[in-house]
Amino acid sequence: MLKARPLPPYLIQRYHGWKATTYTENESWYRTLAQEGQHPRAMMISCCDSRVHVTSIFGADQGEFFIHRNIANLVPPYTSDGGQHGTSAAIEYAVSVLKVAHVIVMGHSNCGGIKGCDEMCCGKAPALDAPTSFVGRWIDILRPGHERVAGIKDDAERARALEKEAVLISLENLTTFPFINEAMQRGTLTLHGLWLDIGEGHVQQYSASSGEFAPI
Amino acid sequence: MLKARPLPPYLIQRYHGWKATTYTENESWYRTLAQEGQHPRAMMISCCDSRVHVTSIFGADQGEFFIHRNIANLVPPYTSDGGQHGTSAAIEYAVSVLKVAHVIVMGHSNCGGIKGCDEMCCGKAPALDAPTSFVGRWIDILRPGHERVAGIKDDAERARALEKEAVLISLENLTTFPFINEAMQRGTLTLHGLWLDIGEGHVQQYSASSGEFAPI
Amino acid sequence: MLKARPLPPYLIQRYHGWKATTYTENESWYRTLAQEGQHPRAMMISCCDSRVHVTSIFGADQGEFFIHRNIANLVPPYTSDGGQHGTSAAIEYAVSVLKVAHVIVMGHSNCGGIKGCDEMCCGKAPALDAPTSFVGRWIDILRPGHERVAGIKDDAERARALEKEAVLISLENLTTFPFINEAMQRGTLTLHGLWLDIGEGHVQQYSASSGEFAPI
Amino acid sequence: MLKARPLPPYLIQRYHGWKATTYTENESWYRTLAQEGQHPRAMMISCCDSRVHVTSIFGADQGEFFIHRNIANLVPPYTSDGGQHGTSAAIEYAVSVLKVAHVIVMGHSNCGGIKGCDEMCCGKAPALDAPTSFVGRWIDILRPGHERVAGIKDDAERARALEKEAVLISLENLTTFPFINEAMQRGTLTLHGLWLDIGEGHVQQYSASSGEFAPI
């Protein structure tokens, strides 16, 4: 038998508060969304980290962003192995079915997944090297990025550089998907790379012309 | 060269608005979150769908929910094949590193991924059957759930039942992960299954005792 | 022969600047909008006044607001006379075809149309009383509102009260349209009344419970 | 009692963001506009369509364009029937009170109102023929334009031609207003006809000498 439990009371109470206020005041919009379907303009790929709220930062309402969140906002490269790839499935749905105009990858400061990747690649986290470590195998995606920052001596500086590499690796991998390339060539899709400083509330974006992240 | 583009101006404008208001009014909390790290009490697994905002529904602030979002809020079964499993990595990080007390799976009405799964399993969506369909292979996770609702004649009714099966299949698969079982046996983790009616703003939860979803 | 002239050079120059920057950086979104059609979530009814930019105030991008602008943001009452009613046509298209979730009427301070209505109703603007005055006949829509503020002695105060009456009269008239009523009863449409102080940048909204405009 | 509702939270949040940034950085200009009144140099007549932002395309700031937006950017012919004509009122105010130097009519591609007119005139939209259809009666203004393009066989080509006819019909109707003619004869007013391709970001203007629309 499934061992599911009732929600904690504080969540039930908050839900009823939401239902009586935010939902009730906007029920017409919720019903429209249900009946007419979603037409998001952008897909946002960000981290599962509880401190990263893209809808708040960009003033987005229900219906605006199609959001995939995984550890360290990583996109694996395209493969046609017929396996189960949740991130690739989300991207395919956003681009091929919903036809979003933008795919935005947002990395962030103080990222635990990135720190784990740095430690693993520096040989300091044997547990992550184990084949049974889901986190370890997932952040393998970022290994090519680590090679590009491995020369940085300062740990904090190297972690921050690796956080930005995670965005770049994901952007690079996005362009290995045939349907992404086709949409980009048709001029109906653009890619964007962002990095958020959680504590300072700064957002930087990657500029292809300068090859650097700069404040927006 | 990476073909990343600058953000659309309206998003930049909105970001600056957020920075000048929400961030500025709460910067002490953002800085605390950055310095002290995240301590989320729950992991939320929900759909990428742009209409599902769990932080709004449950009044959650920055730092409360560790959120993984994928197509149709699916959790694959545990495997030790050493492959790249983004969803399993997110769960492992939440339970083993962050030690969340709750893993909550939230399905929803009008789900495009679930509708695709229903059509595929009914033989009406050959494109999703192709080995190269990322969406198709991902929603294969739900095939055992479709068998349990296949007898329902009405399309809309069957889709709704399948949306709830997606929650149950995910809960079942969660219990195949050794670290989940250990935490449940230690009494430090509980699982929860929810289903959201987008248009009506109703949330139902699965009750293990009744074996049904009921309003919270 | 039509006496149309070429655009002034400064507008041509600005257009080319927009094309080379804003358009180019966002062409994927423009193409998506062209191919997929518009799905605005709200209809905004505001004044033609050059100082009222609802898209700026609400951070709205191309595709978000269906906007009708006329003198003094007025909605005439429903009529089935088979005549040519531009405002009623815009509302019908927004609600019945586009199925927007919100109709928002935004009045504003320093409104020339409202001032003209006040002068006309106070007998100080005979030119506006003429049957051939398009402005005069248009602002006749607001006469019932003027009766409710006619007792205010101070000219500036009375004009401001009349600006808010223009919003209320429009909201009242909106509810005389059968398709508006039906959508409201189905719970898929809500009405909203706003008033903007141009100089101070304040937006107030009408509260049905208090019967007053209050800051948002 | 008026059934007005509070604004959705995301719009309130965005407004506060605008107030704290765009408004605050430019408050001297907003206050000047409020105290000195508006002195727009041009009236823009464009469609309500959410995808048409003339202020963005022409880099126009608060105070530059007096903007009337209706379905399909149509101007009805002059009439002295003493009725309520919102478009004619807007034009009268712009030309006779504000004394704008330009009246610019801007049509656009993918226009739903124009498509409806084409279907109605081709006998494929009986609902629009009903006397109670506000949209149908409004786009009757364009019937003379449809006669001029009815010979075009291809649907998409005919719709595009009709979009341009909507601009020409409006320009023709503008010259039936006595105050427009007087201002043109005094040399203080010029008319301009534009057509925007939403997806490609192209703007064409009508040339009286060639009788054609050409890129600007």
Side-chain angles (χ1 to χ4, degrees):
Chain A
M1 194 185 74
L2 261 176
K3 288 185 182 154
R5 289 283 187 82
L7 274 190
Y10 79 96
L11 288 180
I12 291 179
Q13 188 179 343
R14 287 193 199 163
Y15 157 71
H16 287 297
W18 169 83
K19 186 76 161 63
T21 56
T22 304
Y23 173 78
T24 299
E25 289 156 13
N26 300 284
E27 61 185 354
S28 59
W29 177 236
Y30 289 100
R31 286 192 180 131
T32 299
L33 279 175
Q35 289 166 23
E36 305 296 322
Q38 62 176 331
H39 302 281
R41 63 185 77 187
M43 177 186 197
M44 188 69 81
I45 299 173
S46 73
C47 187
C48 298
D49 193 300
S50 62
R51 299 167 294 180
V52 178
H53 274 208
V54 296
T55 49
S56 174
I57 293 172
F58 291 109
D61 193 32
Q62 271 80 350
E64 279 201 61
F65 290 158
F66 186 80
I67 303 174
H68 174 59
R69 295 177 69 167
N70 64 33
I71 297 286
N73 35 270
L74 291 172
V75 175
Y78 176 78
T79 168
S80 55
D81 65 1
Q84 269 171 357
H85 302 285
T87 297
S88 304
I91 296 165
E92 184 184 82
Y93 194 84
V95 173
S96 300
V97 178
L98 298 175
K99 300 186 192 307
V100 296
H102 311 282
V103 174
I104 303 169
V105 179
M106 187 161 98
H108 68 97
S109 68
N110 315 91
C111 183
I114 298 293
K115 189 155 171 288
C117 179
D118 183 47
E119 291 170 354
M120 178 179 75
C121 294
C122 291
K124 298 177 194 162
L128 288 172
D129 266 326
T132 52
S133 168
F134 289 115
V135 173
R137 300 296 59 70
W138 179 249
I139 55 183
D140 275 344
I141 296 171
L142 184 49
R143 277 189 192 270
H146 195 272
E147 289 170 19
R148 301 198 292 230
V149 304
I152 301 174
K153 298 293 180 210
D154 182 71
D155 283 358
E157 205 185 321
R158 193 176 58 253
R160 180 152 293 200
L162 191 57
E163 286 163 3
K164 292 176 178 174
E165 283 299 325
V167 176
L168 301 183
I169 287 284
S170 291
L171 291 173
E172 289 167 17
N173 286 343
L174 278 168
T175 59
T176 63
F177 287 75
F179 52 82
I180 298 258
N181 265 309
E182 285 160 26
M184 286 173 76
Q185 278 169 23
R186 268 197 315 273
T188 57
L189 179 70
T190 52
L191 307 183
H192 309 264
L194 305 178
W195 175 85
L196 166 72
D197 184 318
I198 287 176
E200 298 307 311
H202 290 147
V203 173
Q204 297 185 357
Q205 70 181 339
Y206 178 74
S207 162
S209 56
S210 74
E212 304 276 346
F213 281 80
I216 64 174
Chain B
M1 196 186 73
L2 261 177
K3 289 186 181 153
R5 291 284 187 84
L7 273 192
Y10 78 97
L11 288 180
I12 292 178
Q13 183 187 336
R14 287 190 199 164
Y15 156 71
H16 287 295
W18 169 83
K19 187 76 161 61
T21 54
T22 305
Y23 173 77
T24 300
E25 290 154 12
N26 300 284
E27 60 184 354
S28 60
W29 177 236
Y30 288 100
R31 287 194 179 130
T32 300
L33 279 174
Q35 289 164 22
E36 305 298 322
Q38 62 175 330
H39 300 283
R41 60 184 84 184
M43 177 186 196
M44 186 68 81
I45 298 172
S46 73
C47 186
C48 298
D49 193 300
S50 64
R51 300 167 295 180
V52 178
H53 274 207
V54 296
T55 49
S56 174
I57 294 173
F58 292 108
D61 193 31
Q62 270 78 349
E64 280 201 60
F65 288 160
F66 185 79
I67 303 174
H68 174 60
R69 296 178 68 167
N70 65 34
I71 297 286
N73 35 269
L74 291 173
V75 175
Y78 176 77
T79 169
S80 54
D81 65 0
Q84 268 171 357
H85 302 287
T87 296
S88 304
I91 296 165
E92 184 184 82
Y93 194 83
V95 174
S96 300
V97 178
L98 298 174
K99 301 190 188 307
V100 296
H102 311 284
V103 175
I104 304 168
V105 179
M106 187 160 95
H108 69 96
S109 68
N110 313 91
C111 183
I114 297 292
K115 189 155 172 289
C117 178
D118 183 46
E119 291 170 354
M120 179 179 74
C121 295
C122 291
K124 297 178 195 161
L128 289 172
D129 267 325
T132 53
S133 168
F134 289 115
V135 172
R137 300 299 54 74
W138 178 249
I139 55 183
D140 275 344
I141 297 171
L142 185 50
R143 277 189 191 268
H146 195 270
E147 288 171 18
R148 301 197 292 232
V149 303
I152 301 174
K153 297 289 180 215
D154 182 70
D155 283 358
E157 205 185 322
R158 192 175 59 252
R160 181 152 292 202
L162 191 57
E163 287 163 2
K164 293 176 177 176
E165 283 299 327
V167 176
L168 300 183
I169 288 283
S170 291
L171 291 173
E172 289 167 16
N173 287 343
L174 279 168
T175 59
T176 63
F177 286 75
F179 51 83
I180 298 257
N181 265 309
E182 286 159 25
M184 287 173 76
Q185 279 167 23
R186 269 198 315 273
T188 58
L189 178 71
T190 53
L191 305 183
H192 310 264
L194 306 177
W195 174 84
L196 165 72
D197 183 317
I198 286 175
E200 297 307 312
H202 291 147
V203 172
Q204 298 184 358
Q205 71 181 339
Y206 178 73
S207 161
S209 56
S210 74
E212 303 278 346
F213 281 80
I216 63 174
Chain C
M1 196 184 75
L2 261 177
K3 289 185 184 154
R5 290 283 187 80
L7 274 190
Y10 78 97
L11 288 181
I12 292 178
Q13 186 180 344
R14 288 193 199 163
Y15 157 70
H16 286 296
W18 169 83
K19 187 75 161 61
T21 55
T22 305
Y23 173 78
T24 300
E25 288 156 12
N26 300 284
E27 61 185 355
S28 59
W29 176 236
Y30 289 100
R31 287 193 180 130
T32 300
L33 279 175
Q35 289 166 23
E36 305 296 321
Q38 61 175 331
H39 301 282
R41 62 184 78 188
M43 176 185 198
M44 188 68 81
I45 299 173
S46 73
C47 187
C48 298
D49 193 301
S50 63
R51 300 167 294 180
V52 178
H53 273 207
V54 296
T55 49
S56 174
I57 293 172
F58 291 109
D61 193 33
Q62 270 80 348
E64 278 202 60
F65 290 158
F66 186 79
I67 302 175
H68 174 59
R69 295 177 70 167
N70 64 33
I71 297 287
N73 35 271
L74 291 173
V75 174
Y78 175 77
T79 169
S80 55
D81 64 1
Q84 268 171 357
H85 303 286
T87 297
S88 304
I91 296 164
E92 184 183 81
Y93 194 83
V95 173
S96 299
V97 178
L98 298 174
K99 299 188 192 305
V100 296
H102 310 283
V103 174
I104 302 169
V105 179
M106 188 161 96
H108 68 97
S109 68
N110 315 90
C111 182
I114 298 292
K115 189 154 171 288
C117 179
D118 183 47
E119 291 170 353
M120 178 179 75
C121 294
C122 290
K124 298 177 195 162
L128 289 172
D129 267 326
T132 52
S133 168
F134 289 116
V135 172
R137 301 296 58 72
W138 179 249
I139 55 183
D140 275 344
I141 296 170
L142 185 50
R143 278 189 190 269
H146 194 271
E147 289 171 18
R148 300 196 294 230
V149 303
I152 301 174
K153 297 294 180 209
D154 182 70
D155 282 358
E157 205 185 320
R158 193 176 59 252
R160 181 152 290 201
L162 191 56
E163 285 163 3
K164 293 177 177 175
E165 283 299 326
V167 176
L168 300 183
I169 288 284
S170 291
L171 291 173
E172 289 167 17
N173 287 342
L174 279 168
T175 59
T176 63
F177 286 75
F179 51 82
I180 297 259
N181 265 308
E182 285 160 25
M184 287 175 74
Q185 278 168 22
R186 270 197 314 272
T188 58
L189 179 70
T190 52
L191 307 182
H192 308 264
L194 305 177
W195 176 84
L196 165 72
D197 184 318
I198 288 176
E200 297 308 311
H202 290 147
V203 173
Q204 298 185 357
Q205 70 181 339
Y206 178 73
S207 161
S209 56
S210 73
E212 305 276 346
F213 280 81
I216 62 173
Chain D
M1 197 185 74
L2 262 176
K3 288 184 183 156
R5 290 283 187 84
L7 273 192
Y10 78 97
L11 287 180
I12 292 177
Q13 183 188 337
R14 288 191 198 162
Y15 156 70
H16 287 295
W18 169 83
K19 185 76 160 63
T21 54
T22 305
Y23 172 77
T24 299
E25 290 154 13
N26 301 284
E27 61 185 355
S28 60
W29 177 234
Y30 287 101
R31 287 194 179 128
T32 300
L33 278 175
Q35 289 165 23
E36 305 298 322
Q38 62 175 330
H39 301 282
R41 60 184 84 185
M43 178 186 196
M44 187 68 81
I45 298 172
S46 73
C47 187
C48 299
D49 193 300
S50 63
R51 301 167 295 180
V52 178
H53 274 208
V54 296
T55 49
S56 174
I57 294 172
F58 292 109
D61 194 30
Q62 270 79 351
E64 280 201 60
F65 288 161
F66 186 80
I67 303 174
H68 174 60
R69 296 178 67 167
N70 65 34
I71 297 287
N73 35 269
L74 291 172
V75 175
Y78 176 77
T79 168
S80 55
D81 65 1
Q84 270 171 356
H85 302 286
T87 297
S88 304
I91 296 164
E92 184 184 81
Y93 194 83
V95 174
S96 300
V97 178
L98 298 174
K99 300 190 189 306
V100 297
H102 312 283
V103 174
I104 303 168
V105 179
M106 186 161 96
H108 69 97
S109 68
N110 315 88
C111 183
I114 298 292
K115 188 154 173 288
C117 178
D118 183 47
E119 290 171 354
M120 178 179 74
C121 294
C122 291
K124 297 178 195 162
L128 289 171
D129 268 325
T132 52
S133 167
F134 289 115
V135 172
R137 299 300 55 74
W138 178 250
I139 56 182
D140 275 344
I141 296 171
L142 184 50
R143 277 190 191 269
H146 194 271
E147 288 171 19
R148 302 198 293 233
V149 304
I152 301 174
K153 298 289 180 216
D154 182 71
D155 283 357
E157 205 186 321
R158 193 176 58 252
R160 182 151 292 201
L162 191 57
E163 287 163 1
K164 293 176 178 175
E165 283 299 326
V167 177
L168 300 183
I169 288 283
S170 291
L171 290 173
E172 289 167 17
N173 287 343
L174 279 168
T175 59
T176 63
F177 286 74
F179 52 83
I180 298 259
N181 265 310
E182 287 160 25
M184 288 174 75
Q185 280 169 21
R186 269 198 314 273
T188 58
L189 178 70
T190 53
L191 306 184
H192 310 264
L194 306 177
W195 176 84
L196 165 73
D197 184 317
I198 286 176
E200 298 307 311
H202 290 147
V203 172
Q204 298 184 358
Q205 70 181 341
Y206 178 73
S207 162
S209 56
S210 73
E212 303 277 347
F213 281 81
I216 63 174

